[in-house]
Amino acid sequence: MAQSEQDAFSSEPHKKATFFLCTNYSVTKTSCAPHTSILQTLKHLHGTISSSTNGTLDFVIVLVSPPALDPHPPTDKVIGKVGIWSPANSEIGFMLNRDIWGEGYMAEALTALLGPNGVFWKRDVESVLADVDPRNEGSIGILKRFGFEETGREERTFETHLGWCDSVYFELMGPLMKKGG
């Protein structure tokens, strides 16, 4: 289930889950250094929540426990984030808790956003771009699975805690653009 950051981050457990997500080196290694304090995560969350894309093009992925299977009240757990973080260039970004990689949650979230009746297309996004470090094979794999096509490569495009990183650029055309728009 995807929801707006404001809703997802309103509780203390969600803030802690997000901090855990942002401190995991496997999750953040090709985009930024892992967060070292809850204050760093809260500052990041504030920027995300105040963004114009919050809840319209940029979402938190929340795992909800089904009430029928659990005698306790349902618990929601922030497990990731996905969406267009910049409406100016329609660039997608995503991250998922390392403990649940390969279980289909990111594919489910991307289907809701990029599928034939996806949220992005309903909001008149013409195409979606991605900029991925070539070492991030998992992200490249899921982008290709969803039909993104490589449009170019460039060396030394951004500097992180790892040093200089290269970029592989991808684009996915929306349904209207595929039909000649």
Side-chain angles (χ1 to χ4, degrees):
M1 164 188 267
Q3 56 183 247
S4 76
E5 281 84 353
Q6 190 163 358
D7 294 337
F9 297 131
S10 60
S11 73
E12 198 60 33
H14 291 160
K15 291 174 185 172
K16 288 179 181 176
T18 304
F19 177 63
F20 176 75
L21 183 68
C22 293
T23 59
N24 189 312
Y25 180 76
S26 295
V27 173
T28 64
K29 71 180 177 184
T30 59
S31 59
C32 65
H35 290 187
T36 56
S37 74
I38 191 77
L39 291 176
Q40 187 179 10
T41 301
L42 292 175
K43 183 178 177 183
H44 170 76
L45 291 176
H46 176 73
T48 302
I49 290 168
S50 61
S51 167
S52 64
T53 61
N54 176 26
T56 60
L57 296 173
D58 199 15
F59 303 91
V60 171
I61 304 169
V62 178
L63 187 59
V64 179
S65 65
L69 301 177
D70 188 348
H72 305 291
T75 55
D76 301 345
K77 181 180 178 185
V78 173
I79 60 168
K81 188 171 180 314
V82 60
I84 292 176
W85 57 271
S86 171
N89 66 4
S90 296
E91 185 176 336
I92 195 169
F94 48 87
M95 63 180 176
L96 189 65
N97 183 317
R98 173 66 180 104
D99 295 341
I100 55 173
W101 284 2
E103 294 186 25
Y105 294 112
M106 186 56 69
E108 183 178 345
L110 288 172
T111 298
L113 301 176
L114 300 169
N117 296 308
V119 170
F120 290 168
W121 315 135
K122 290 179 180 180
R123 295 211 165 64
D124 298 324
V125 173
E126 293 179 356
S127 66
V128 179
L129 305 175
D131 176 350
V132 185
D133 185 306
R135 296 171 287 191
N136 191 338
E137 295 173 5
S139 291
I140 290 172
I142 200 158
L143 289 170
K144 287 181 175 180
R145 180 173 158 197
F146 275 83
F148 280 78
E149 293 182 9
E150 185 175 327
T151 60
R153 291 177 177 254
E154 198 171 337
E155 293 180 355
R156 297 176 54 93
T157 54
F158 61 101
E159 191 173 13
T160 71
H161 61 291
L162 298 174
W164 281 101
C165 297
D166 299 340
S167 289
V168 181
Y169 301 110
F170 292 91
E171 183 173 22
L172 177 66
M173 304 300 278
L176 291 177
M177 296 300 287
K178 288 179 184 174
K179 293 179 185 176

